[in-house]
Amino acid sequence: MTATHDHDHEIADVLVVGSGIAGCAAALQAAREGAEVLLLTKATKPDGASTDWAQGGISTTRGEPESLKADIIAASDGTADPDAVDVLVENADDAVEDVLLETLEIEFDETDDGEFDYTREAAHSDYRILHVDAATGTHILRPFLNHIDAHDRIEVRQDTAALELITHEGRVHGVLSDEDPTGNPIFAGTTILATGGIGALYTRSTNPDDATGDGIAMAALAGADVADLEYVQFHPTAYDGADPFLLSEALRGEGAILRNGDGERFMDDYHSQGDLAPRDVVARAVETEREATGEVVLDVSTLEGAFAEEYPAIAEKCRDRGIDGDEIPVAPCEHFLCGGIDVDEHGRTSLDRLYAVGECSRTGVHGANRLASTSLLEGLVWGLRAGEDAAGLDADPEPVEAPDLRNSDPDLPERFAAEKSIRLKRTMDEYLGLERDPDEIARASAVLRRLKGEVDAYIRTRTARDLYELRNASVTALLIARAASENAESTGCHYVVEDSRDDSTAEQPADD
Ligand code: SIN
């Protein structure tokens, strides 16, 4: 028993939206505190959450929080919030021990001596990352979902999207879900958004297609503060071809190297940490070398262990794409949003009774550029903290008047959402990618505003999940464009160039 019905109202003490590591951790901790928890997820399978796609691993501190803190701050170009980083590093090892080792009994890779086989990724000064080959997310998330699904006080409801937050007198009272065509109200004492990132705003991403920025858009539309949205992180090494996939930084951490189209190593020319430089630096260098020499490959022949044995999941993806040599073509690819819904050290947003955790939130830990293997950790630590805080509020769900969504025009033109989504992605690829030119950002904002206007016109008459996802994507894209236009300084993932092209020949993103 979890979500109950009070007269005609469906209610939960704590409502969690999203089923990655952050949502699972929030649900678990709220239930441990005695709350009745309902977790909604629009996913139908675990791989609807980015956590399931995470490869490299989850960082620990190995008892040296100051060392991890220094690496996080250095990777962020000095922009990470030191107080937020303290929360992360001081809680990291206990959270991993409690949830991943004791509760879920995850069997992280070990050495022949039975010690954890800690790995390293770019910009880490030490071997401190726990992993299960390079498919760590899957090995954490699936047991986690099974565990919370079996919990007496947690109900997991799949294939259910939250469309809008229900707000009343400055307070959040739950969500309207798409279980009913006019919006099914689910009232909650506290609501925790854990909806993940924004990969679906770009053509190439390492995220699932579900990553449409839902939580960020819903929260922003309800008036919550957002921050740091210009810091969209591109991973430097995704497969350079159709159906891209991630080639984990753990590969470079264990000896793989980047080579340009002339067969030369080049990262030492860009940064003192060479192939293990911070991610934003490597991503831009890879793009520069691709343009200059035609291609960049990740050479896995230099790995300390055997590629196919040590990284079977990645090796299988390579074989599926017909790559059987040691050189894998790579290009940067959208990977992670460092900013999001602004939250405090407990995941509280600026709206009463609304929390946000995981990639949709902005804790300040990542600043302008995230250090590898801190996203699962941040989701875990903040998920636990928000779950505890939200349950501790002991806020009774209060059914209030919830708006009825319209469903008067069920005849949405076929392919409307798919076509607009392609336009949105092209605009983001073209103008809000690795490099941003102020004139181009302005052009992107104009295209995105028009697109949002068209989507809003349909939303007034029709509830359909893909339409709401497109609304969320266009709201979030506009917020990213606005944040980018307001920040003239190149830092971390936000790299500003002036006059990157001659305006007279500038290509316009397809505008229908
Ligand atoms: C990777 O495995 O390279 C990605 C790890 C991360 O994004 O933290």
Side-chain angles (χ1 to χ4, degrees):
M1 193 280 301
T2 43
T4 55
H5 288 80
D6 157 18
H7 305 292
D8 282 340
H9 301 120
E10 189 170 16
I11 55 180
D13 296 335
V14 174
L15 175 65
V16 178
V17 184
S19 56
I21 191 170
C24 290
L28 174 65
Q29 194 60 30
R32 282 171 164 176
E33 301 291 322
E36 298 290 336
V37 181
L38 173 60
L39 184 146
L40 295 190
T41 173
K42 65 180 184 175
T44 51
K45 291 195 288 210
D47 66 5
S50 296
T51 296
D52 201 63
W53 296 42
Q55 294 187 355
I58 182 162
S59 187
T60 65
T61 77
R62 296 188 73 181
E64 294 190 28
E66 286 304 318
S67 165
L68 178 58
K69 178 178 179 181
D71 288 352
I72 290 173
I73 291 180
S76 76
D77 213 359
T79 57
D81 172 352
D83 295 336
V85 180
D86 279 338
V87 171
L88 185 83
V89 299
E90 283 163 12
N91 290 283
D93 295 355
D94 286 349
V96 167
E97 181 75 29
D98 163 19
V99 178
L100 303 187
L101 300 178
E102 286 176 7
T103 306
L104 302 178
E105 299 180 4
I106 310 288
E107 292 181 359
F108 290 106
D109 282 4
E110 293 182 352
T111 62
D112 294 341
D113 306 333
E115 303 291 329
F116 284 128
D117 175 29
Y118 292 101
T119 190
R120 183 165 75 127
E121 292 186 45
H124 278 270
S125 59
D126 201 357
Y127 288 80
R128 52 163 87 99
I129 298 169
L130 287 171
H131 64 104
V132 185
D133 80 66
T136 312
T138 293
H139 286 274
I140 290 176
L141 188 62
R142 295 178 187 214
F144 211 163
L145 283 168
N146 290 338
H147 183 81
I148 63 167
D149 206 18
H151 198 294
D152 285 351
R153 282 193 294 281
I154 304 175
E155 177 186 337
V156 176
R157 197 174 296 169
Q158 291 189 326
D159 197 11
T160 308
L163 303 177
E164 304 279 8
L165 294 174
I166 301 171
T167 54
H168 184 70
E169 294 179 350
R171 182 177 278 189
V172 173
H173 291 267
V175 302
L176 290 177
S177 82
D178 67 352
E179 290 157 291
D180 184 291
T182 56
N184 175 43
I186 300 173
F187 296 104
T190 47
T191 302
I192 303 178
L193 296 172
T195 53
I198 57 148
L201 274 57
Y202 290 84
T203 306
R204 283 170 50 82
S205 162
T206 59
N207 299 178
D209 293 342
D210 276 352
T212 44
D214 301 337
I216 297 168
M218 284 191 292
L221 289 171
D225 293 342
V226 294
D228 287 352
L229 288 173
E230 67 274 42
Y231 300 124
V232 179
Q233 183 171 69
F234 290 79
H235 197 289
T237 58
Y239 168 59
D240 185 5
D243 198 9
F245 61 91
L246 186 64
L247 290 138
S248 175
E249 257 174 11
L251 291 161
R252 274 176 288 131
E254 299 287 339
I257 53 177
L258 289 161
R259 293 189 190 282
N260 64 20
D262 300 327
E264 289 162 358
R265 293 187 71 162
F266 56 85
M267 273 313 304
D268 288 340
D269 299 339
Y270 289 86
H271 197 276
S272 58
Q273 286 172 291
D275 287 280
L276 294 179
R279 203 171 266 181
D280 57 322
V281 176
V282 185
R284 285 192 294 275
V286 166
E287 199 48 33
T288 304
E289 294 292 324
R290 282 179 76 243
E291 278 166 18
T293 68
E295 73 164 355
V296 167
V297 297
L298 185 67
D299 180 352
V300 295
S301 68
T302 48
L303 273 172
E304 277 163 28
F307 175 55
E309 263 171 47
E310 300 284 332
Y311 304 95
I314 301 179
E316 190 184 327
K317 287 198 170 83
C318 289
R319 276 194 303 277
D320 289 348
R321 312 293 196 286
I323 307 160
D324 46 19
D326 286 332
E327 297 198 335
I328 307 159
V330 292
C333 184
E334 192 284 335
H335 185 59
F336 187 88
L337 181 61
C338 301
I341 307 161
D342 206 16
V343 298
D344 70 7
E345 69 274 22
H346 297 286
R348 298 183 198 126
T349 71
S350 60
L351 297 183
D352 193 13
R353 299 187 185 193
L354 182 69
Y355 293 73
V357 291
E359 192 175 345
C360 72
S361 70
R362 181 268 184 201
T363 60
V365 161
H366 309 307
N369 180 53
R370 179 174 67 83
L371 179 71
S373 286
T374 54
S375 55
L376 295 179
L377 183 63
E378 182 198 47
L380 178 64
V381 167
W382 256 265
L384 295 173
R385 294 172 71 80
E388 179 170 355
D389 202 76
L393 274 189
D394 222 1
D396 282 333
E398 289 169 42
V400 293
E401 189 157 352
D404 263 1
L405 303 180
R406 299 279 178 76
N407 200 31
S408 54
D409 176 13
D411 295 323
L412 186 69
E414 223 175 292
R415 301 203 311 274
F416 173 85
E419 285 170 7
K420 300 300 173 202
S421 158
I422 290 170
R423 172 147 58 108
L424 183 142
K425 287 178 199 227
R426 284 196 186 138
T427 305
M428 297 300 282
D429 294 346
E430 189 86 8
Y431 297 147
L432 286 150
L434 272 178
E435 295 186 349
R436 288 98 184 257
D437 173 317
D439 291 339
E440 295 189 348
I441 297 170
R443 209 170 285 147
S445 299
V447 174
L448 293 167
R449 259 195 305 277
R450 270 201 304 282
L451 189 140
K452 181 175 170 296
E454 292 167 43
V455 178
D456 283 347
Y458 276 112
I459 278 209
R460 281 185 215 112
T461 61
R462 170 98 175 114
T463 51
R465 191 183 298 182
D466 57 356
L467 201 51
Y468 273 83
E469 287 178 330
L470 184 59
R471 188 276 311 262
N472 294 338
S474 58
V475 168
T476 307
L478 262 172
L479 290 168
I480 291 171
R482 183 190 300 163
S485 73
E486 287 171 355
N487 185 353
E489 197 181 328
S490 287
T491 322
C493 305
H494 179 60
Y495 194 73
V496 185
V497 290
E498 294 285 345
D499 298 330
S500 65
R501 71 170 89 211
D502 172 1
D503 273 359
S504 59
T505 57
E507 216 181 285
Q508 300 288 333
D511 197 8
D512 272 321

